């Protein structure tokens, strides 16, 4: 058995035993109430699922296995000579709840490299799509095509014992993550660079190799990708993409199909697609005012016009967070260190100065602060990755790390088919009548 899988098996079987005992003794304990507002309002805050890999606090933001982003920047292994954390390290941490050593991360880089070959069938499916199909459409189609190689599906068909589900899910997840940068880069190159593909470089880590296959050669872009693919990886279990993966996985659909569902969810403009919407909105602003250095008054006018048109300000607001997103802050810190005097980055910072007051004054927006998507596009544009329709794919490559770690845990814990109860409005009215009587 490989060392990561061995560790995971030991941790998972211990926790599965604990959960069993806990449910036996305390299974009927109430952990919260559900109000009608929550029933009609997107289930905000309803505690109804388990996610081991990360926890989101409205004020502090995300903690991966208890560690904040600034802490991870200090504690996770980095590439030789680099300063940014390696996403391999975060995956290790999320999966087995231990900070990895440099050697363990090196092992994981190697392990993913050894599993990274993508089938010709996957490339053929991608090549059958119009080159101008949205990159997220291409990613979702590719993931479904990749599921033809699912170990879980093959073993299930052979009558796999349910105690082995975690093992097959682990294998699928490792294979999928290993292949994902190649598939994502293939989508980028076929869409924006006439299908001139770049072969993987076996000497690079997972994120740097992705940057290399995209064709952006600035070494600082490799550092950015390491940070980017770390901070977008997980946002506890209830966000739309993670929850979708969890739901689909609970039917014992394989990891590829579960992730494809999650990516369809990430492709919505209220979720991951907001990263493309932010930069599109900024480019439209620049075009409208005729300068890459708009004044704050010009920004205010543009924001008010967007709101008057009945649109949201992309990159601002959050269903859980009530402070600036630490993932926004991490990217700002990166820009302050690596990027000097970039007009679009400056626009992002000026928006940070003016948007919260305007959204706050509306009186209805619960969180007027920037989220992760407010900053990422400006960094990518700086390094030449200007094709913003592609940005959500980058988010998706990172998100795979968190949601697939969680999928391994869900199968190891033997979590059942997810099936909440829905009610009709008529049921609600009758319930209220009966309770008033
Ligand atoms: N601009 C304008 N209005 C906003 C707003 C924004 N950025 N954020 C919230 N609002 C509005 C909502 O549309 C809602 O209006 P109505 O009552 O008229 O429908 C009201 O404020 C209350 O919404 P909320 O409770 O504060 O926010 P929700 O939890 O319902 O929604 C989110 C959260 C992210 C969908 C919302 O803030 C939004 O649409 N933001 C812009 C899109 C975005 O950046 N999404 C990315 C989120 C991060 C990610 O998943 O990647």
């Amino acid at each position: 058995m490989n060392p990561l899988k061995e560790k995971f098996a030991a941790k998972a079987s211990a926790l599965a035993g604990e959960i069993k005992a806990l449910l036996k003794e305390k299974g009927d304990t109430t952990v919260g109430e559900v109000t009608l507002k929550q029933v009609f309002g997107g289930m905000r805050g309803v505690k109804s699922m388990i996610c081991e890999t990360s926890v989101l606090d409205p004020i502090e933001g995300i903690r991966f296995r208890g560690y904040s982003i600034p802490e991870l920047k200090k504690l996770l292994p980095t590439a030789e000579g680099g300063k940014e954390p390696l996403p391999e390290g975060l995956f290790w941490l999320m999966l087995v709840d231990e900070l990895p050593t440099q050697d363990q991360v090196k092992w994981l880089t190697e392990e993913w490299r050894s599993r990274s070959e993508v089938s010709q069938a996957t490339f053929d499916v991608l090549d059958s799509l119009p080159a101008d199909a949205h990159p997220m459409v291409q990613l979702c189609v590719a993931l479904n095509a990749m599921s033809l190689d699912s170990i879980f599906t093959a073993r299930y068909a052979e009558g796999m014992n349910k105690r082995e589900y975690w093992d097959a899910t682990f294998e699928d997840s490792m294979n999928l993550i290993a292949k994902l940068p190649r598939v994502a880069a293939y989508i980028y190159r076929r869409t924006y660079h006439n299908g001139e593909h770049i072969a993987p470089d076996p000497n690079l880590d997972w994120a740097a190799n992705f940057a290399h296959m995209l064709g952006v050669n600035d070494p600082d872009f490799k550092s950015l990708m390491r940070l980017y693919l770390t901070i977008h990886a997980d946002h506890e279990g209830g966000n739309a993409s993670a929850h979708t993966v969890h739901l689909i996985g609970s039917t014992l659909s394989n990891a590829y199909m579960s992730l494809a569902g999650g990516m369809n969810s990430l492709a919505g403009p209220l979720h991951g697609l907001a990263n493309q919407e932010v930069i599109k909105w900024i480019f439209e602003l620049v075009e409208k005012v005729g300068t890459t250095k708009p004044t704050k008054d010009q920004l205010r006018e543009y924001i008010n016009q967007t709101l008057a048109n009945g649109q949201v300000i992309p990159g601002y607001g959050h269903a859980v967070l009530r402070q600036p997103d630490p993932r926004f802050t991490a990217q700002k810190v990166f820009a302050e260190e690596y990027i000097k005097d970039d007009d679009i980055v400056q626009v992002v910072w000026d928006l940070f100065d003016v948007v919260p007051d305007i959204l706050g004054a509306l009186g209805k927006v619960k969180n007027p602060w920037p989220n992760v998507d407010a900053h990422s596009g400006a960094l990518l544009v700086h390094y030449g990755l200007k094709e913003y329709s592609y940005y959500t794919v980058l988010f998706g490559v990172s998100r795979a790390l968190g949601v697939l770690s969680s999928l391994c845990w869900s199968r190891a814990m033997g979590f059942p088919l997810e099936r909440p109860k829905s009610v009709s409005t008529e049921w609600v009215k009758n319930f209220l009548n009966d309770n008033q009587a």
Side-chain angles (χ1 to χ4, degrees), residues 80-264:
E80 222 175 285
K83 281 187 272 187
E84 305 304 331
L86 288 165
E88 287 92 326
L90 180 66
F91 180 75
W92 184 288
L93 173 67
M94 287 191 293
L95 197 68
V96 297
D97 194 14
E98 279 175 24
L99 284 166
T101 62
Q102 196 82 37
D103 280 350
Q104 286 167 327
V105 159
K106 245 190 190 157
W107 173 86
L108 187 52
T109 302
E110 260 317 310
E111 181 69 14
W112 282 349
R113 188 173 302 134
S114 72
R115 295 169 179 252
S116 65
E117 197 172 323
V118 175
S119 72
Q120 189 54 43
T122 303
F123 293 139
D124 290 346
V125 166
L126 278 172
D127 285 336
S128 73
L129 295 172
D132 63 353
H134 191 281
M136 283 303 281
V137 171
Q138 298 189 50
L139 178 63
C140 295
V141 169
L143 285 166
N144 276 315
M146 288 162 80
S147 88
L148 297 174
D149 295 328
S150 166
I151 288 170
F152 187 99
T153 299
R155 281 168 63 179
Y156 192 89
E158 287 161 8
M160 171 169 52
N161 187 309
K162 57 161 66 166
R163 281 195 299 273
E164 293 170 24
Y165 289 171
W166 73 267
D167 184 302
T169 302
F170 178 92
E171 292 299 332
D172 273 352
S173 298
M174 291 284 280
N175 288 341
L176 200 175
I177 291 168
K179 294 171 203 301
L180 200 49
R182 176 88 167 106
V183 170
Y186 193 90
I187 293 169
Y188 178 72
R189 299 296 301 183
R190 76 179 291 271
T191 307
Y192 307 107
H193 292 274
N194 302 317
E196 289 155 17
H197 298 291
I198 299 171
D201 181 343
N203 300 310
L204 294 172
D205 56 87
W206 187 74
N209 189 33
F210 185 23
H212 157 77
M213 290 186 286
L214 288 171
V216 183
N217 288 317
D218 188 326
D220 288 350
F221 182 72
K222 292 191 172 71
S223 299
L224 174 64
M225 280 295 99
R226 291 176 187 126
L227 177 72
Y228 185 109
L229 297 175
T230 297
I231 64 175
H232 286 76
D234 210 31
H235 224 217
E236 74 170 33
N239 71 79
S241 51
H243 190 188
T244 309
V245 174
H246 176 75
L247 169 65
I248 298 179
S250 83
T251 72
L252 301 187
S253 221
N254 65 48
Y256 299 89
M257 295 178 102
S258 302
L259 186 68
M263 292 301 101
N264 277 298

Side-chain angles (χ1 to χ4, degrees), residues 41 44 232 235 239-241 265-266 268-275 277-278 303 306-307 310-322 325 327 355 359 362-374 395 399:
R44 293 289 184 286
H232 286 76
H235 224 217
N239 71 79
S241 51
S265 174
L266 193 72
L270 296 187
H271 192 15
L273 200 85
N275 63 5
E277 295 302 297
V278 167
I303 294 159
T306 302
L307 293 170
Q311 293 161 1
V312 293
I313 306 303
Y316 280 76
H318 200 271
V320 178
L321 287 168
R322 296 296 177 257
D325 190 333
R327 299 171 300 173
V355 172
L359 286 184
L362 295 178
K364 64 173 184 179
V365 180
K366 294 191 191 68
N367 176 43
W369 300 107
N371 59 56
V372 65
D373 301 314
F395 194 154
R399 186 48 58 97

Side-chain angles (χ1 to χ4, degrees), residues 240-366:
S241 51
H243 190 188
T244 309
V245 174
H246 176 75
L247 169 65
I248 298 179
S250 83
T251 72
L252 301 187
S253 221
N254 65 48
Y256 299 89
M257 295 178 102
S258 302
L259 186 68
M263 292 301 101
N264 277 298
S265 174
L266 193 72
L270 296 187
H271 192 15
L273 200 85
N275 63 5
Q276 81 165 42
E277 295 302 297
V278 167
I279 211 72
K280 177 167 172 256
W281 182 71
I282 291 177
F283 282 170
E284 282 166 7
L285 156 78
V286 163
E287 197 172 321
K288 190 170 173 202
V289 296
T291 169
T292 53
K293 295 176 189 286
T295 64
K296 288 194 179 165
D297 278 343
Q298 284 173 317
L299 293 183
R300 286 188 191 95
E301 197 186 323
Y302 185 63
I303 294 159
N304 284 324
Q305 192 55 58
T306 302
L307 293 170
N309 292 344
Q311 293 161 1
V312 293
I313 306 303
Y316 280 76
H318 200 271
V320 178
L321 287 168
R322 296 296 177 257
Q323 282 289 314
D325 190 333
R327 299 171 300 173
F328 173 89
T329 311
Q331 294 177 87
K332 187 164 182 286
V333 168
F334 182 95
E336 282 160 355
E337 185 172 349
Y338 289 81
I339 299 174
K340 300 273 174 275
D341 303 327
D342 182 290
D343 285 358
I344 302 299
V345 168
Q346 189 58 51
V347 171
V348 166
W349 295 351
D350 287 347
L351 285 167
F352 184 30
D353 284 343
V354 300
V355 172
D357 282 349
I358 298 176
L359 286 184
L362 295 178
K364 64 173 184 179
V365 180
K366 294 191 191 68

